[in-house]
Amino acid sequence: MDIKNNEEELLSQCFDSLFPICRSITGPGLEQSIALFKEYMPLQIEKIPTGTQVFDWEVPPEWHFKRARLWGPNGEVVCDTNESNLHVVNYSEPVNRSIELEELQKHLHSIPSLPEAIPYVTSYYNRSWGFCLPHKQRQELQPGTYKVEIDSSFFHEGGVPFAHCTIVGESSREILLTSYLCHPSLANNELSGPLVLLGLHNRIQQWSKRRFSYRFLLNPETIGSLCFLSKYYRHLQSNLEAGLILTCVGGPESNLKYKSSRMANSLFDSYVSYLADHNPTIWKALPFNPLGGSDERQYCSPGFNLPMGQISRTTYGQYDGYHNSLDTKEFMDIKQLIKTIDQLEAFLLDAEIAGKPLNLSPYGEPQLGKRGLYPNVNSPNNWRNSSDRMHDDRKVLNAILTILNLADGEHSILEIANLLDLPLDDLRPIIEKLESENLIRFNSEQNV
Amino acid sequence: MDIKNNEEELLSQCFDSLFPICRSITGPGLEQSIALFKEYMPLQIEKIPTGTQVFDWEVPPEWHFKRARLWGPNGEVVCDTNESNLHVVNYSEPVNRSIELEELQKHLHSIPSLPEAIPYVTSYYNRSWGFCLPHKQRQELQPGTYKVEIDSSFFHEGGVPFAHCTIVGESSREILLTSYLCHPSLANNELSGPLVLLGLHNRIQQWSKRRFSYRFLLNPETIGSLCFLSKYYRHLQSNLEAGLILTCVGGPESNLKYKSSRMANSLFDSYVSYLADHNPTIWKALPFNPLGGSDERQYCSPGFNLPMGQISRTTYGQYDGYHNSLDTKEFMDIKQLIKTIDQLEAFLLDAEIAGKPLNLSPYGEPQLGKRGLYPNVNSPNNWRNSSDRMHDDRKVLNAILTILNLADGEHSILEIANLLDLPLDDLRPIIEKLESENLIRFNSEQNV
Amino acid sequence: MDIKNNEEELLSQCFDSLFPICRSITGPGLEQSIALFKEYMPLQIEKIPTGTQVFDWEVPPEWHFKRARLWGPNGEVVCDTNESNLHVVNYSEPVNRSIELEELQKHLHSIPSLPEAIPYVTSYYNRSWGFCLPHKQRQELQPGTYKVEIDSSFFHEGGVPFAHCTIVGESSREILLTSYLCHPSLANNELSGPLVLLGLHNRIQQWSKRRFSYRFLLNPETIGSLCFLSKYYRHLQSNLEAGLILTCVGGPESNLKYKSSRMANSLFDSYVSYLADHNPTIWKALPFNPLGGSDERQYCSPGFNLPMGQISRTTYGQYDGYHNSLDTKEFMDIKQLIKTIDQLEAFLLDAEIAGKPLNLSPYGEPQLGKRGLYPNVNSPNNWRNSSDRMHDDRKVLNAILTILNLADGEHSILEIANLLDLPLDDLRPIIEKLESENLIRFNSEQNV
């Protein structure tokens, strides 16, 4: 069994454990889910107490939910969250009463255009309750008296948790990889992100060398990222090189979409823009916007303006199963998650050398000859000959001279690769040689 | 009688009182004209004494002029300033002598291509004298001895006056509206500017709310604005948001011409550039140049470089009557002044919200739900429904999110309107809602 | 005999004296060559001692070379540096031995594609030896035992010299004109540069006025410019306005090529870009690159980043005789050097007024009338008349107003000339008038 199969097996098992849990932005379902990830990553769990003011928000009480059921006039079960967590409006208040169909309708949610699907509905900050059911089923409901039982409560001694861990690299400059954990029983628009995060954690841990430090973060969407930011945003403002918010990273779509950060010139912004030009079948670059999307709405608010982009494959709002029961493991597809992990790992590896190098011997040309980087006898044989080797030597020398000349901390390897019209991978051995000769280093502290 | 008619009547009466006065850059005619405006606006009058060094200039003595006459060889009256102030070269020194036609010719001015027109000629800083007359009349002059009598004197105990008043708004940031008062008996190229200034003063006074403070300034051209600047340029450099120099704002031309400030990126520069794209039938944007024009040559000299643009309708140098007796009330047309006042009032009202807003809750998204600005139940019904109301709600939410995200004091409402592809007027209620919720304010102190 | 003929005669005689000397980057041949230039320019000679660390380099020992000979199996002379200095690999170590042809071949250099040419080969920093000969001759060498005698030695008490002098101008801002002196017996790619430098020195000395100071510098390529920079780079960073590295400035090519400095916005960069648009038959503008070329690789390394461009006519690497014995006086052509001197002198004269003027009376318009720069009587005759004189007066007034308005130290005369659509020469008298009236000065200290 090779490592790929192991990885696929691991992600599939995790998926199966996580899918049935009734998560929300707080509460036992969420904490149980975090605990499961903690088995595979050394997550540190922090919790911001209910009632804390977090920027413009107040941390809500925990939603402790057990079960919700709706019975019809003849005692038949209409909805039962033991069958699907989606049946209850997330954060419903406790109810135990009888109600006529006409009034009940105000508390029902369905999707006329998708008559088989149970929608996913939330009401976190406005006390309310409701049931979600297939539109087809809803249309068959008979007039009469229904019985509603929602066994939930609001717990004021709890809070909003988030969980993170860091793989330390050579530099204190950080790459933040994050996804949200809060939706119950949705696949592409919930578990795909945390599972790819786990996969990337395992891959990066195996790299022989890491120039950046990598932080992995799971939190409930919006309020969770705000809680994290309330404790770490000064740290991020000093240390964050770039980051990715993972959302909807599975599903059938063939290419990865990268939504730029608001600043639009982060390391990842520049690199994806380059990739979208060179590998359009894999990468698609989208401009930042604050409409829809995920936690980039918080990271990229004007007060923070952090270099966080967003990655998706089969994007929210653009597939039928978005926010309803059609968003299944089969639709998401574990193999598509592996593909995402492969592509993001390659991306992160390249991004490690895509930044702005600094010439450590910037006064005049360094003497390349004494380092074996220059032909020692300046003879026509060394530059007039058109043999392949000579041609390659000249290309390498040109690359060395160009990198050294532009290594002023203001030009990125991306720009240099573009100028030389060479793929980033061709520059990697040259960059590593120049680093080992102590002629350049990456100016990873450049934004500090 | 409605207000428009009142306004037209007022401007017409003012015109008739002002037109016959023999104004110059100093002296009783100018002061009498200022006094007339003071009846309608609370003008503060200041005077810089003759002999004062004002930047590279010296304040000239006052020109006290009574009457100038020229008699022909047979005692017939050739020119008499009681018939037209334009007959005398403005700032002529006193003369009382007889002179042969041949020598007299050196002191005569006429326009061959406009044989009926009396030209307007000045010689402020070089002692000289002369008469202006229709070319047709000049050609009929008979040889012989002419009698010249110019009853004028230079008064060294006076100075150059200017007059201004301010309508204070919420912010100390100022809009400066100014025109010149110095030409005698010209309509479009003299009285149109001060009369529109008076009209705007009356309109702005009636606004229910003013974000900016509005300063209204009248002065003789060039030396008068330099005198004003010598006392107020530090104040302007700290407080001036933008301004308009009004010149030739009547006449038959259908659109308003805005000549940009030298800095080319003032609030008004940006807004007119936007308007010229969207309403080309009303607005035409011209680049700054230091050739010809009016007091922008002083405000936009490199030492001051103030955000002052220039507004004209039927522009100096581009109509036959420019600087001669064909520039009449009929040509200027009081109704065209009202049109200018209407268009500039609308412009100024919009400019009040065209600037750069600042998000007062910039860390993360503000919680819109608790302010009734966000659907409280996040259900598909709230974003999938294509009914017009929902569609509008989504458009409003998008506008809110976009404004909040870009409200960093560096993006103007103009840019945001362009981005959203919405007219400025559609954003006004949203902006006012966000202001009333204390979520944004206009960063009117931005240039301080 | 006119001055042009004198100049041609002088350069031709200098050429003939210099060509036979066996120069290198150090040693008696180089010093003898410098001494010859010192007869015509007040050069100050400085020497950085062998063993000194100069940035990333170590100053090498001097190469003291007398003669190198290679005899064939039958005692016949194969190569003798008394016939051509190019026969020996420059910096060859001393040798006195017999050697079989097969082993000898590793020490021979020739150019198959140019069978008659002796190549120019160096091995400065890697101890080695060799002979250079025509490929045709090499192919006829018979197997057998050859005798090698290279009479050279390495002198460790010497160093690398450079020589410079300055013609002081009104400003301490400096123009640096430099060329390299190190190749033996090459014409276009060696003597053309120093000879044009000598010609420019003589021309500039005769100018009636110099706004900038002009420094003339000769040094061996690479290590010589690094030695100069090690002593003078702080001075240059404070004082250097722009400079030219002269290389291959003779030969048949019709236009001058200017390779931009790395900063790409120096006075010369901007001016050549303007010239290349307006006089493409004379000027060609090339972007900076750090590949090939001459001492700009040192001046424009990221640590220095000095405003040094490079001038060539028949460029290195682009003609057959490059770095071999076909690079002769006839190919270079003294008349082409004179053409280069003429064009560079005109360029430098214009560059003196191409910079950024500063308005010394920037608050409002200066009163032009009192300086005779403005029509004193503002009459239609002064601006409506279409006679040529009036038209010219208006053009001059427009130029005056435009220069004054843009003279803020940020706009160059080049930009202003472009804006006015006038050639630089038309502005020269206006600029000189404004300078004499103390209304502008050139902000030559702008980069300090």
Side-chain angles (χ1 to χ4, degrees), chain B residues 151-436:
Chain B
D151 183 357
S152 69
S153 61
F154 295 104
F155 178 61
H156 289 265
E157 310 304 311
V160 166
F162 56 88
H164 56 126
C165 64
T166 302
I167 303 177
V168 175
E170 292 171 1
S171 160
S172 64
R173 296 296 292 169
E174 236 177 79
I175 303 295
L176 173 60
L177 304 172
T178 179
S179 192
Y180 49 86
L181 195 57
C182 51
H183 305 63
S185 306
L186 296 172
N188 185 47
N189 184 29
E190 172 49 74
L191 294 174
S192 72
L195 292 175
V196 165
L197 199 76
L198 171 58
L200 286 171
H201 178 270
N202 294 346
R203 300 275 188 100
I204 291 168
Q205 213 165 22
Q206 286 165 42
W207 290 359
S208 60
K209 163 184 182 147
R210 285 165 295 272
R211 293 158 192 270
F212 295 116
S213 293
Y214 290 81
R215 186 182 297 267
F216 301 82
L217 168 68
L218 289 170
N219 56 247
E221 212 172 6
T222 307
I223 188 67
S225 58
L226 289 168
C227 285
F228 171 73
L229 281 162
S230 74
K231 288 196 69 172
Y232 289 92
Y233 88 95
R234 290 195 188 284
H235 171 82
L236 295 180
Q237 283 180 320
S238 299
N239 294 282
L240 188 64
E241 183 67 29
L244 296 176
I245 290 147
L246 307 172
T247 175
C248 301
V249 286
E253 287 283 326
S254 64
N255 53 17
L256 287 177
K257 283 92 185 164
Y258 175 82
K259 177 169 145 184
S260 164
S261 78
R262 182 182 183 277
M263 50 169 48
N265 63 354
S266 78
L267 176 63
F268 288 177
D269 296 339
S270 305
Y271 186 30
V272 176
S273 154
Y274 171 89
L275 288 171
D277 287 346
H278 289 74
N279 303 311
T281 57
I282 301 187
W283 287 92
K284 192 170 171 187
L286 301 169
F288 176 77
N289 73 59
L291 320 174
S294 182
D295 283 333
E296 71 276 10
R297 289 165 64 167
Q298 312 313 321
Y299 289 101
C300 300
S301 59
F304 300 128
N305 202 25
L306 290 163
M308 293 294 289
Q310 183 224 69
I311 287 284
S312 69
R313 178 179 293 283
T314 305
T315 312
Y316 47 90
Q318 298 182 14
Y319 60 100
D320 276 350
Y322 174 61
H323 270 201
N324 66 58
S325 58
L326 304 182
D327 189 350
T328 62
K329 186 181 185 186
E330 290 64 40
F331 177 80
M332 180 195 80
D333 192 353
I334 298 287
K335 283 197 194 321
Q336 288 294 86
L337 299 194
I338 303 290
K339 192 170 154 192
T340 301
I341 294 167
D342 288 344
Q343 290 171 343
L344 290 181
E345 186 188 16
F347 172 84
L348 293 169
L349 267 171
D350 276 353
E352 290 230 318
I353 58 155
K356 296 175 177 175
L358 202 61
N359 185 331
L360 299 176
S361 185
Y363 298 102
E365 278 178 12
Q367 196 182 354
L368 298 177
K370 70 185 182 192
R371 298 176 173 92
L373 296 170
Y374 205 81
N376 275 310
V377 176
N378 190 8
S379 143
N381 298 327
N382 283 335
W383 44 264
R384 215 176 253 272
N385 193 310
S386 66
S387 80
D388 278 355
R389 209 193 70 82
M390 283 302 156
H391 185 65
D392 280 0
D393 280 4
R394 173 86 353 201
K395 260 174 76 172
V396 167
L397 181 58
N398 283 355
I400 290 172
L401 291 173
T402 303
I403 291 169
L404 288 172
N405 191 266
L406 294 177
D408 54 8
E410 293 180 16
H411 296 82
S412 70
I413 290 293
L414 287 178
E415 288 171 76
I416 296 171
N418 255 331
L419 193 71
L420 291 167
D421 199 20
L422 289 175
L424 213 55
D425 270 349
D426 282 20
L427 294 184
R428 187 186 301 279
I430 296 171
I431 288 164
E432 287 174 356
K433 177 69 177 162
L434 293 175
E435 285 186 311
S436 72

Side-chain angles (χ1 to χ4, degrees), chain A residues 223-234:
Chain A
I223 188 68
S225 58
L226 289 168
C227 285
F228 171 72
L229 281 162
S230 73
K231 289 196 68 172
Y232 289 93
Y233 88 94
R234 290 197 187 281

Side-chain angles (χ1 to χ4, degrees), chain B residues 56-57 262 297-298 301 303, chain C residues 362 364-365 367 370-371 405:
Chain B
D56 191 56
W57 301 64
R262 182 182 183 277
R297 289 165 64 167
Q298 312 313 321
S301 59
Chain C
E365 279 178 13
Q367 197 183 353
K370 70 184 182 192
R371 298 176 173 91
N405 191 268

Side-chain angles (χ1 to χ4, degrees), chain C residues 244-264:
Chain C
L244 296 176
I245 291 148
L246 307 173
T247 175
C248 301
V249 285
E253 285 285 325
S254 64
N255 54 16
L256 287 177
K257 284 91 184 166
Y258 176 82
K259 178 170 146 183
S260 165
S261 78
R262 183 181 182 276
M263 50 170 47

Side-chain angles (χ1 to χ4, degrees), chain A residues 38-301:
Chain A
K38 199 170 181 333
E39 290 175 29
Y40 303 98
M41 303 158 77
L43 293 171
Q44 173 191 355
I45 298 168
E46 304 187 53
K47 201 166 181 175
I48 306 295
T50 294
T52 308
Q53 188 72 21
V54 170
F55 306 113
D56 192 55
W57 300 64
E58 190 182 306
V59 175
E62 288 185 12
W63 185 52
H64 286 200
F65 173 75
K66 289 200 178 116
R67 190 175 186 181
R69 275 176 293 184
L70 175 65
W71 290 272
N74 302 317
E76 76 280 15
V77 173
V78 178
C79 295
D80 180 347
T81 53
N82 278 6
E83 284 178 21
S84 167
N85 288 316
L86 300 179
H87 275 312
V88 71
V89 167
N90 205 291
Y91 253 71
S92 278
E93 60 195 343
V95 186
N96 194 334
R97 57 180 280 207
S98 293
I99 187 172
E100 293 304 303
L101 177 60
E102 198 183 326
E103 205 199 325
L104 175 65
Q105 286 289 7
K106 300 179 195 155
H107 294 272
L108 297 186
H109 303 271
S110 63
I111 311 168
S113 60
L114 294 171
E116 313 280 350
I118 309 167
Y120 166 58
V121 178
T122 67
S123 183
Y124 299 136
Y125 297 99
N126 188 39
R127 285 291 161 268
S128 175
W129 64 268
F131 285 91
C132 304
L133 71 174
H135 195 65
K136 192 173 151 190
Q137 184 187 0
R138 183 181 183 177
Q139 285 181 300
E140 286 161 6
L141 295 180
Q142 298 301 317
T145 305
Y146 286 69
K147 182 165 167 27
V148 176
E149 193 182 285
I150 299 181
D151 183 357
S152 70
S153 62
F154 295 104
F155 178 61
H156 289 266
E157 310 303 312
V160 165
F162 57 88
H164 56 127
C165 63
T166 302
I167 302 178
V168 175
E170 292 171 0
S171 159
S172 64
R173 295 296 293 168
E174 234 177 79
I175 304 296
L176 173 60
L177 304 172
T178 178
S179 192
Y180 50 86
L181 194 58
C182 51
H183 304 64
S185 307
L186 295 173
N188 186 46
N189 183 30
E190 174 47 76
L191 294 174
S192 73
L195 292 175
V196 165
L197 199 76
L198 171 57
L200 286 171
H201 178 271
N202 293 347
R203 298 275 187 101
I204 290 168
Q205 211 165 23
Q206 285 164 42
W207 290 358
S208 60
K209 163 184 182 148
R210 284 165 294 271
R211 292 160 193 269
F212 295 116
S213 292
Y214 289 82
R215 186 183 298 267
F216 302 82
L217 168 68
L218 289 170
N219 55 246
E221 211 171 6
T222 307
I223 188 68
S225 58
L226 289 168
C227 285
F228 171 72
L229 281 162
S230 73
K231 289 196 68 172
Y232 289 93
Y233 88 94
R234 290 197 187 281
H235 172 81
L236 294 181
Q237 282 179 321
S238 299
N239 295 281
L240 189 62
E241 182 68 31
L244 297 176
I245 290 148
L246 307 172
T247 175
C248 300
V249 285
E253 286 284 326
S254 65
N255 54 17
L256 287 177
K257 284 90 184 166
Y258 175 83
K259 177 170 145 183
S260 164
S261 78
R262 182 183 183 275
M263 50 170 46
N265 63 353
S266 77
L267 176 65
F268 288 177
D269 297 339
S270 306
Y271 187 28
V272 175
S273 155
Y274 170 90
L275 287 171
D277 287 345
H278 289 74
N279 304 309
T281 56
I282 300 187
W283 287 92
K284 193 169 171 187
L286 301 169
F288 176 76
N289 74 57
L291 321 174
S294 182
D295 284 332
E296 71 277 10
R297 289 166 63 166
Q298 312 313 319
Y299 289 103
C300 299
S301 59

Side-chain angles (χ1 to χ4, degrees), chain A residues 362 364-365 367 370-371 405, chain C residues 56-57 122 262 297-298 301 303:
Chain A
E365 278 178 13
Q367 197 182 352
K370 71 185 182 193
R371 298 175 174 92
N405 191 267
Chain C
D56 191 55
W57 302 64
T122 66
R262 183 181 182 276
R297 290 165 63 167
Q298 312 312 321
S301 58

